[in-house]
Amino acid sequence: MRPISRRDALILGGLGVAGTAAGAAGLWWSLGSTVGPLGGAGLELRNPPELRSAGGRLQLRLEAARGGLDVGGRRALPMLYNGSLPGPTLRLRAGDELAIRLVNSLAEPTNLHLHGLHVSPQANGDNVFVTVNPGDSFDYSYRLPAGHPPGVYWYHPHHHGLVAGQIFAGLFGAVIVEDPEPINVSAEHVLVVSDTTLDFAGNTAAASPLERMAGREGELVLVNGQSSPLLTARPGERQRWRIINACVARFLRLRMDGQQLDLIGMDSGRSLVPEAVDEVLLAPGNRADLLVTASAGESVLQALPYDRGGMAGMMGQGPSAGRGAAALATFRVSGESAASPGTVAARPAGEDLRTAAEAAHRQLVLAMGAGAGGMGGGMGGMMRFSINGREYSESRTDTIVPAGSVEEWTVVNTSPMDHPFHLHVWPMQLIDSDGRALTSVVMRDVVNVPANGRVTVRIAFRDFTGRSVYHCHILDHEDLGMMGVIEVR
Ligand code: C2O
Ligand code: CU
Ligand code: CU
C-alpha cells in the first residue's frame, strides 16, 4: 500500500469529489485481472514473415486493415499490417534505402513511424505529421546512414490521438538492422510482446477515460500474437532473442530462471561485451537483444510485476497492482548437447558524449494535473498530461536545437506515475538516472523517468534537421498530450 503523499492529496483535492476517486480505485482494481495462458498455449512460436533488403534496398507495400485472426486462441478482429500479427519483420543493413507504400484500409486516419531508426524526419521520411486518410496511401522513403547502429527497432502508427488504440488493436512490426559481423547463433527469434483486451465479439475493447489516464493494460499478453507459445532448443545451444515491448503501457520485467541470459544490446546499438543478466526491464517501446544459452529442462519466460505508480485515489491499487507474473512463453530444452557456439567478439567502444562540449542544458518537466473543469463532473473529466506546462500542439515548436550540437536534457517527473520518455530520430545517452550516475556508455531511445524522479541524458543532434517529437511512450499519455515538438535547424 502506498501512503498518500502531500502531492497525491493535492491531486485528490483537485479531483473535487473523494467518492469519484474511490470509484476510480475500484475500476482500476478490476483492470488487474489475472494474466495467464489461454487457449492456444504451448503452440510453437510463429516468427512473423520476414522481408530482407537486397542490393541496398527494400521496397514493400504495407496495408493497414482489419482482419479476422486467431489471437491468443480466440477468434478476433484486430488491426493488422499485411494481414499478420505482428506485421512483417523488416531486415535492413546500415546504408540501406527503405521504401514503404503505406495503404490505409482502416476506417480512420493513420500513418507510420519507424521507432528508434536514425533517419530524416522530413518530407516523406520519418515524418509523424503526415496523415494518411482512410482509402489513401502514402509513399515513405528512408535512407539509413552508413554508420547506422545495428539493433532491434520497430514500426507503428503515430497519428496523434489514435496511437494507443491502433497499437492496442495490433498495428506493429519489427525492424532489424543487421550486425556488420554476424554473431554465431543456432537460431534467431523475434519476440514482439503486446497486450490487448478483446470484447465478447472479438473486437479490441475500447479504453475508458480512467484506463487511458492510467495507461491501458490488456488482459491478454501476447508474443507474436500468441498466448504463451513454445520455443525449443538443445542443451548448449545459443539462440538470439530480439524482444520488443509493443505494449501501450505495460512494463515488462523479464526473467527466465534456469537459463543463461546475456544482454548484448538495448534499443539501438550493441554493448561492448555481452552482459549476464537475471532480469531485463523493458518500458513500453524498449527492446532487448538477448543471447540465450540453453540448459536442459523447461523454463518459463515471465513478466514479473512492476510497480509503475498510480494516481491519487488508486491507493496502491494502481494499474500494476494485484497482478501476478505473466507467463509469456515456455522454453523447452532437450535432446543431445549441441557443440559450443564459441565466444562473442567484443565491440569497439563508441563515442562517449560525457566528454563532449555541452552546448545547452534543458529541463523538461513531465506533469499530470487536473484538467479544466477537473473530474468533479464524473468519469468523463480528463487529467492534463503536459510537458513544461503545455499539452501537445502540432503547430507549435517547443524546442529549437542548433544542428550538430550536443545537449544535456534533464527530464523531471513531478507525477506519482512513471513516464517512459522517448525522443525520435536522435538516440539519447543515459548520464544519470535518479541520482545514480552511469559508468559506461548506455544508449537508449526510451528512458524511464520514475514517479517523482528525474533522468539526465545527452543527445548529439547530428546528421538530420527538421521537426519531430518527444513524448511519453505510455501511448495513452502521448495521445492525451504528453508530447512536444522539436526542431533541429
Ligand atoms: Cu514508438 Cu513516437 O514512438
Ligand atoms: Cu519513436
Ligand atoms: Cu506517461
Side-chain angles (χ1 to χ4, degrees):
M1 188 98 140
R2 295 180 149 224
I4 302 184
S5 67
R6 200 180 82 85
R7 150 154 253 114
D8 286 351
L10 285 174
I11 294 175
L12 196 60
L15 294 180
V17 189
T20 308
L27 242 182
W28 267 306
W29 178 251
S30 67
L31 285 177
S33 47
T34 342
V35 179
L38 291 110
L43 297 177
E44 195 93 29
L45 177 83
R46 290 187 301 250
N47 282 316
E50 291 199 342
L51 299 167
R52 195 179 291 270
S53 67
R57 192 176 152 83
L58 176 62
Q59 182 170 355
L60 64 134
R61 180 182 187 272
L62 193 66
E63 182 182 13
R66 284 218 180 255
L69 199 82
D70 181 283
V71 172
R74 281 184 59 186
R75 207 59 203 155
L77 203 61
M79 292 181 183
L80 303 168
Y81 283 126
N82 289 2
S84 79
L85 184 68
T89 299
L90 313 181
R91 286 191 176 268
L92 306 170
R93 299 189 158 275
D96 278 354
E97 188 189 335
L98 171 64
I100 300 180
R101 169 164 295 178
L102 178 72
V103 179
N104 183 3
S105 300
L106 302 169
E108 60 191 45
T110 191
N111 64 9
L112 190 67
H113 167 50
L114 292 179
H115 179 126
L117 282 194
H118 184 54
V119 291
S120 170
Q122 293 193 33
N124 62 341
D126 190 31
N127 183 348
V128 294
F129 306 109
V130 163
T131 297
V132 186
N133 284 311
D136 284 355
S137 68
F138 188 83
D139 289 323
Y140 288 94
S141 169
Y142 318 87
R143 158 80 67 182
L144 277 61
H148 195 288
V152 195
Y153 304 89
W154 62 302
Y155 59 89
H156 61 75
H158 218 288
H159 184 81
H160 179 64
L162 299 176
V163 181
Q166 292 184 359
I167 292 183
F168 204 61
L171 292 180
F172 44 79
V175 178
I176 307 286
V177 178
E178 307 280 5
D179 295 292
E181 294 108 39
I183 295 176
N184 183 28
V185 292
S186 56
E188 181 172 324
H189 298 293
V190 171
L191 284 78
V192 186
V193 183
S194 65
D195 63 354
T196 197
T197 301
L198 301 173
D199 66 15
F200 64 93
N203 289 304
T204 312
S208 69
L210 286 168
E211 287 172 282
R212 297 184 68 205
M213 286 187 276
R216 70 187 80 180
E217 294 196 15
E219 289 169 359
L220 300 171
V221 186
L222 306 166
V223 179
N224 294 354
Q226 296 172 274
S227 179
S228 207
L230 175 71
L231 293 96
T232 57
R234 288 157 57 200
E237 239 186 72
R238 179 166 69 207
Q239 300 191 345
R240 187 172 190 174
W241 294 9
R242 317 259 207 171
I243 307 178
I244 299 172
N245 185 356
C247 298
V248 166
R250 183 186 298 266
F251 283 60
L252 298 172
R253 198 179 130 209
L254 301 173
R255 189 177 177 101
M256 186 165 65
D257 290 321
Q259 303 295 333
Q260 184 189 330
L261 306 180
D262 293 281
L263 190 64
I264 56 170
M266 253 182 87
D267 292 0
S268 74
R270 288 254 322 273
S271 16
L272 300 186
V273 287
E275 179 199 350
V277 289
D278 291 324
E279 288 185 14
V280 181
L281 178 66
L282 296 184
N286 278 140
R287 293 85 63 203
D289 200 343
L290 264 185
L291 295 179
V292 180
T293 308
S295 300
E298 195 166 289
S299 300
V300 176
L301 176 65
Q302 302 184 83
L304 298 178
Y306 174 80
D307 181 6
R308 60 182 177 92
M311 289 154 58
M314 294 159 79
M315 313 260 251
Q317 304 180 0
S320 328
R323 176 188 290 142
L328 297 185
T330 301
F331 187 45
R332 189 174 295 156
V333 183
S334 61
E336 225 170 279
S337 289
S340 163
T343 55
V344 177
R347 299 251 313 158
E351 186 186 11
D352 187 346
L353 295 178
R354 285 173 299 186
T355 60
E358 178 198 334
H361 188 275
R362 286 177 210 274
Q363 178 164 291
L364 272 67
V365 179
L366 312 179
M368 289 162 50
M375 289 179 58
M379 296 298 185
M382 272 293 177
M383 202 159 261
R384 287 183 76 239
F385 288 79
S386 63
I387 300 182
N388 286 351
R390 301 194 287 202
E391 292 170 282
Y392 174 70
S393 165
E394 177 177 337
S395 55
R396 186 188 64 227
T397 300
D398 300 280
T399 305
I400 296 173
V401 173
S405 63
V406 174
E407 295 204 348
E408 181 165 291
W409 289 13
T410 298
V411 189
V412 179
N413 180 355
T414 61
S415 77
M417 198 189 272
D418 289 14
H419 297 292
F421 180 79
H422 173 50
L423 170 66
H424 286 206
V425 182
W426 300 275
M428 302 178 276
Q429 180 178 340
L430 200 49
I431 304 296
D432 186 293
S433 175
D434 240 356
R436 280 174 296 108
L438 277 90
T439 51
S440 56
V441 178
V442 172
M443 301 303 293
R444 292 279 183 280
D445 53 56
V446 178
V447 293
N448 187 41
V449 190
N452 296 305
R454 61 175 62 214
V455 161
T456 301
V457 296
R458 282 193 176 197
I459 307 145
F461 290 95
R462 297 195 188 124
D463 300 330
F464 305 107
T465 57
R467 288 178 95 227
S468 193
V469 291
Y470 46 79
H471 58 87
C472 175
H473 217 285
I474 289 178
L475 294 160
D476 283 301
H477 295 174
E478 178 270 302
D479 280 336
L480 291 171
M482 197 178 267
M483 176 153 74
V485 175
I486 180 173
E487 182 174 0
V488 176
R489 66 179 184 212

